[in-house]
Amino acid sequence: MPPGKAVPPRSLNAAEWDHTYESVAARWDEEPPPVLGDLLAAHAPPPARVLDVGCGLGTTARWLAARGYAVTACDFSPRAIEEARRRTPDGSPVRYEVRDVTGPAPPDPFPVVLDRGVLHTCPTDRERRRFAAAMARTCGPGGLWVHVGAAALGEEDALDQSGGPSWTTEETFRTAVAPWFTVLDLRIADFGGQPGVTDWPARYAVLRSEA
């Protein structure tokens, strides 16, 4: 387990995330490792239309756009979106929105939704199911949810919830998503590449909505 101070906080409150982005260096923020590009190329190659959910500072959204994806990036933290826009060069095709994806479904579902580090901020089974249901509404029937989140590789990791992301076993993850999704692909790799900060095990999954 990584130390709690090296990973993002566990919170579903937009105001708390506003405070985080105002007062704390987002040490976990970095471009994704190659495994995410491999998954996307295999299941949703560009120029697929992608919603980057919980985009934070926009780093992953810009990474997607550079690979030819049509990217909308959203976060429920207005402070995060403000900073993401500031960091994005003029002329970038990324579209930013302040949006809580657990609210009403978009009028035009996205064929691909990407959650890199959002589900693992849900600390309970109920909240994980709520988020999975929101992903199903957002991508619509047949749409894809590409998920990246903290993976517990053993029961000891799953029981240690002292700080940072909620570490879930594969069984817990599959149970949370089963009412709405079929898992098409699942791999374990590091969340990022910073030693002692983001080099902790993450679950990379591609899921198809059956709702």
Side-chain angles (χ1 to χ4, degrees):
M1 289 284 294
K5 291 183 180 179
V7 289
R10 188 188 318 154
S11 172
L12 301 177
N13 184 291
E16 291 182 19
W17 279 99
D18 276 344
H19 177 71
T20 294
Y21 286 116
E22 287 172 353
S23 61
V24 178
R27 297 175 59 204
W28 64 86
D29 183 68
E30 64 180 308
E31 289 190 350
V35 61
L36 181 57
D38 293 344
L39 272 178
L40 287 165
H43 296 276
R49 189 166 61 95
V50 179
L51 177 66
D52 180 14
V53 173
C55 68
L57 304 178
T59 301
T60 300
R62 293 187 291 273
W63 177 89
L64 288 166
R67 281 153 180 76
Y69 289 93
V71 186
T72 299
C74 69
D75 202 290
F76 68 177
S77 164
R79 181 68 184 90
I81 293 297
E82 177 186 356
E83 181 62 19
R85 286 174 173 151
R86 189 188 70 81
R87 295 185 181 205
T88 300
D90 291 341
S92 169
V94 179
R95 174 187 175 189
Y96 291 103
E97 298 178 355
V98 177
R99 180 193 298 186
D100 182 349
V101 294
T102 63
D108 184 16
F110 288 82
V112 184
V113 293
L114 169 64
D115 130 56
R116 184 172 182 241
V118 183
L119 179 67
H120 72 204
T121 67
C122 300
T124 66
D125 289 336
R126 179 179 180 181
E127 287 163 323
R128 284 188 280 270
R129 289 194 298 269
R130 180 186 177 207
F131 185 76
M135 293 297 91
R137 293 194 302 272
T138 302
C139 68
L144 296 181
W145 171 19
V146 181
H147 161 72
V148 184
L153 303 185
E155 290 301 324
E156 183 178 349
D157 286 346
L159 291 173
D160 181 4
Q161 298 291 325
S162 57
S166 294
W167 301 80
T168 56
T169 63
E170 183 176 335
E171 180 181 2
T172 298
F173 170 74
R174 287 182 180 272
T175 298
V177 305
W180 303 277
F181 289 93
T182 297
V183 177
L184 303 179
D185 202 335
L186 193 153
R187 310 177 191 184
I188 300 294
D190 284 351
F191 186 83
Q194 299 181 68
V197 180
T198 57
D199 59 343
W200 34 269
R203 181 178 298 108
Y204 289 75
V206 178
L207 307 96
R208 183 181 63 231
S209 174
E210 308 294 350

